[in-house]
Amino acid sequence: MVVEPTAAPETPPELTALPEAEPKPRDILIINYSGELEKVWATMLLASTAGAMGMTCRVFVTFWGLQNFVKDERRITGKNWMQKMLSFMSRPGISHRKLSKMNFLGMGPWMMGTLAKKYNNPSPKELLEVAQSMGVVFIPCQMTLEMFGLTRDDLIDGMAEPVGAATVLGLMSEGSAPLFI
Amino acid sequence: MVVEPTAAPETPPELTALPEAEPKPRDILIINYSGELEKVWATMLLASTAGAMGMTCRVFVTFWGLQNFVKDERRITGKNWMQKMLSFMSRPGISHRKLSKMNFLGMGPWMMGTLAKKYNNPSPKELLEVAQSMGVVFIPCQMTLEMFGLTRDDLIDGMAEPVGAATVLGLMSEGSAPLFI
Amino acid sequence: MVVEPTAAPETPPELTALPEAEPKPRDILIINYSGELEKVWATMLLASTAGAMGMTCRVFVTFWGLQNFVKDERRITGKNWMQKMLSFMSRPGISHRKLSKMNFLGMGPWMMGTLAKKYNNPSPKELLEVAQSMGVVFIPCQMTLEMFGLTRDDLIDGMAEPVGAATVLGLMSEGSAPLFI
């Protein structure tokens, strides 16, 4: 079939533009599940760097991860004896994290901290403050708050409203690049 | 150039729809690698929620993760003494998972289970059943089955055919949002 | 409305192709954070398979993960006593990895290795060599190198130039499918 030149309409601009369109940069979504020192460090390093790069970065904080976001000065948290015992057995607060191995009664974390300082690498706590000031959003998990008997007042300032797994899955489905740490 | 109204054909619907089209929602792909209670819980929470939200969700079950999918009543699995000893050292079945820390001869998992029940959070086993009924597909890893000497009959009902790493990478490459848990 | 056949122009090929156009396959990005035998195995299995499938696959090696890439014959690494003690406490090299549980003074890893060989599954070291020969790029983390006092000469041959978290986040933002292992 021969197409008559006069009959050929101009292709609308939004259609010609399409093939060359850059894909939209993806947001970063970190699920901070672990409460171990090295995993918290990874979370905070990635989050603060993403913030500094101007990326949209959200950190969903759940299970052991939520212990990193309890205020350092809190010692025993929870409403019933089981929740209190869990907080007693594993002291909450970002400054009291332990390594997953080679903890050696705190010598491992102390050496890590010393080496980090020596090479001008900030601590997890400093990185958390940088991340927050750069607009990274830290979101507590509603179910974890309930299970551990934590109140919003137990948590550090500046955290977002608690949400559940559905919100996290929605972000993944819409294109956020996820990391489970 | 002026397009003659009579000559301008209606753009086919699939083309006009394109520029405004939302990007296709991404499938969820969970690689369940760990056999620890809290990781299994995370896997089942996310999988059952994704299923309830009507998302396509696949869970590739590999290495220690496959122990969660051995029938609870199986005690010793495997064909040779090494495989049998591995199952003896770490009892398979979703109801026999231990915490990665604070296990304290089962007191940790018991407290977690009690707290979960108190706040109406279902157990990993209940969540698994919900996920399966919602269409989440659980796919065993072929290589892990062989290494641990497990047969399809050792596994719970309703699992998909075993596949390998290539299938998982293919899904990631095609756009599934992956989590390594 | 009836479109006159003579008036209907042929849609240009790039437009008709669009609705059916496959989205660009996504690159694979593995963040190898862990130094445990089973996690190293997962990393190497996925990386070598991705390489064999012709995918672009990058492995960012950081924290404990970097110990997998220290030459097997190195025993003590580091410049100061703390770095030396860390390497002493956890022997580096891919052939000296331990399981996260059921290590039993090396019996667990030995059984795993024996079972893998029995079922023709290559060791992590063999998989690493396959991956490298298939074009998978292994990238050391600059900050980890500094903190552990490691030099490029401590690492196996063929690794890429060290980079930082910003590079990793950039790849994620551009669409690489990430796994944190």
Side-chain angles (χ1 to χ4, degrees):
Chain A
M1 155 185 168
V2 178
V3 178
E4 294 291 319
T6 52
E10 295 231 47
T11 316
E14 65 270 29
L15 283 180
T16 47
L18 254 184
E20 292 141 33
E22 275 301 296
K24 191 172 154 285
R26 295 160 69 206
D27 297 345
I28 306 295
L29 172 66
I30 299 175
I31 303 177
N32 177 200
Y33 195 82
S34 170
E36 292 159 355
L37 173 57
E38 61 263 56
K39 298 285 185 73
V40 178
W41 218 330
T43 300
M44 296 309 166
L45 265 168
L46 289 164
S48 57
T49 306
M53 293 170 80
M55 293 176 176
T56 299
C57 178
R58 297 176 188 89
V59 183
F60 179 68
V61 185
T62 180
F63 222 79
W64 303 124
L66 203 59
Q67 299 205 313
N68 311 321
F69 292 85
V70 171
K71 288 172 184 149
D72 266 341
E73 62 272 19
R74 288 281 192 287
R75 184 62 193 87
I76 303 292
T77 56
K79 288 161 191 157
N80 59 45
W81 72 266
M82 276 188 288
Q83 293 165 338
K84 283 176 183 156
M85 181 166 283
L86 285 169
S87 75
F88 173 75
M89 293 192 294
S90 175
R91 180 169 186 173
I94 196 167
S95 302
H96 310 124
R97 301 297 88 211
K98 294 176 179 174
L99 288 171
S100 70
K101 56 177 183 174
M102 305 208 295
N103 198 63
F104 293 113
L105 298 171
M107 197 172 77
W110 172 78
M111 287 202 295
M112 287 292 168
T114 307
L115 289 172
K117 215 168 281 172
K118 188 176 160 68
Y119 295 100
N120 297 315
N121 294 318
S123 71
K125 187 172 190 168
E126 290 164 324
L127 290 168
L128 167 59
E129 284 160 14
V130 169
Q132 283 194 312
S133 73
M134 294 286 188
V136 175
V137 184
F138 293 89
I139 312 166
C141 165
Q142 179 64 45
M143 188 186 121
T144 307
L145 281 175
E146 284 172 13
M147 265 189 65
F148 287 95
L150 295 169
T151 63
R152 290 296 299 278
D153 191 51
D154 288 322
L155 304 181
I156 61 164
D157 294 332
M159 294 190 81
E161 286 300 307
V163 301
T167 305
V168 172
L169 288 161
L171 289 167
M172 286 173 63
S173 163
E174 286 162 18
S176 282
L179 290 177
F180 188 96
I181 300 185
Chain B
M1 159 183 165
V2 176
V3 178
E4 294 292 319
T6 52
E10 297 233 45
T11 317
E14 65 270 28
L15 283 180
T16 46
L18 255 183
E20 292 140 33
E22 278 301 297
K24 192 172 153 284
R26 294 160 69 205
D27 296 347
I28 306 294
L29 172 66
I30 299 175
I31 303 177
N32 177 199
Y33 195 81
S34 170
E36 292 159 355
L37 173 58
E38 62 263 58
K39 299 286 185 72
V40 177
W41 218 331
T43 300
M44 296 308 166
L45 265 169
L46 289 164
S48 56
T49 306
M53 292 170 80
M55 294 176 174
T56 299
C57 177
R58 296 176 189 88
V59 182
F60 180 68
V61 185
T62 179
F63 222 78
W64 303 124
L66 202 59
Q67 298 205 314
N68 311 320
F69 292 85
V70 171
K71 287 173 184 150
D72 267 341
E73 63 271 19
R74 287 281 193 286
R75 184 60 193 87
I76 303 292
T77 55
K79 289 163 192 156
N80 59 45
W81 72 267
M82 277 189 286
Q83 293 166 338
K84 283 176 183 159
M85 180 167 283
L86 285 169
S87 74
F88 173 75
M89 293 192 293
S90 175
R91 181 169 183 172
I94 196 166
S95 302
H96 309 124
R97 301 297 88 211
K98 294 177 179 174
L99 289 170
S100 70
K101 56 177 184 175
M102 304 207 295
N103 198 63
F104 293 113
L105 297 171
M107 196 172 77
W110 172 77
M111 287 201 295
M112 287 291 168
T114 307
L115 289 173
K117 215 169 283 174
K118 187 175 160 68
Y119 296 99
N120 298 316
N121 295 319
S123 71
K125 187 172 189 168
E126 291 164 324
L127 290 168
L128 168 59
E129 284 159 15
V130 169
Q132 283 194 313
S133 74
M134 293 287 187
V136 175
V137 183
F138 293 89
I139 311 165
C141 165
Q142 179 65 46
M143 187 185 121
T144 307
L145 281 175
E146 283 172 14
M147 265 189 64
F148 286 95
L150 294 168
T151 63
R152 290 296 299 277
D153 191 51
D154 289 323
L155 304 181
I156 60 164
D157 293 332
M159 294 190 82
E161 286 300 306
V163 301
T167 305
V168 173
L169 288 161
L171 289 167
M172 287 173 63
S173 163
E174 286 162 17
S176 283
L179 291 177
F180 188 96
I181 300 186
Chain C
M1 158 182 167
V2 177
V3 177
E4 294 291 320
T6 52
E10 295 231 48
T11 316
E14 66 270 26
L15 283 180
T16 46
L18 255 184
E20 292 140 33
E22 278 300 298
K24 192 172 154 286
R26 295 161 68 206
D27 297 346
I28 306 295
L29 172 66
I30 300 176
I31 303 178
N32 177 199
Y33 195 82
S34 169
E36 292 159 355
L37 172 57
E38 62 263 59
K39 298 286 185 72
V40 178
W41 217 331
T43 301
M44 295 308 165
L45 265 169
L46 289 164
S48 56
T49 306
M53 293 171 79
M55 294 176 175
T56 300
C57 178
R58 297 175 188 88
V59 182
F60 179 68
V61 185
T62 179
F63 223 79
W64 303 125
L66 203 59
Q67 298 205 312
N68 311 321
F69 292 85
V70 171
K71 286 172 185 149
D72 266 341
E73 62 271 20
R74 288 281 193 286
R75 184 62 193 87
I76 304 293
T77 55
K79 289 163 192 157
N80 58 46
W81 72 267
M82 276 189 287
Q83 293 165 337
K84 283 175 184 159
M85 180 166 283
L86 285 169
S87 74
F88 173 75
M89 293 192 294
S90 175
R91 180 169 185 173
I94 197 167
S95 301
H96 309 123
R97 300 298 88 212
K98 293 175 180 175
L99 288 170
S100 70
K101 57 177 184 173
M102 305 207 295
N103 198 64
F104 294 112
L105 297 172
M107 197 171 75
W110 172 78
M111 287 202 295
M112 287 291 169
T114 307
L115 289 173
K117 216 168 280 172
K118 187 175 161 68
Y119 296 99
N120 297 317
N121 294 320
S123 71
K125 188 173 188 167
E126 290 164 325
L127 290 168
L128 167 59
E129 284 159 15
V130 169
Q132 284 193 312
S133 73
M134 293 287 187
V136 175
V137 184
F138 293 88
I139 312 166
C141 165
Q142 179 65 45
M143 188 185 121
T144 306
L145 281 175
E146 283 172 14
M147 265 189 65
F148 287 95
L150 294 169
T151 63
R152 291 295 300 278
D153 190 51
D154 289 322
L155 304 181
I156 60 164
D157 294 333
M159 294 190 82
E161 287 299 306
V163 301
T167 305
V168 172
L169 288 161
L171 290 167
M172 286 174 62
S173 163
E174 287 162 17
S176 283
L179 290 177
F180 188 96
I181 300 185

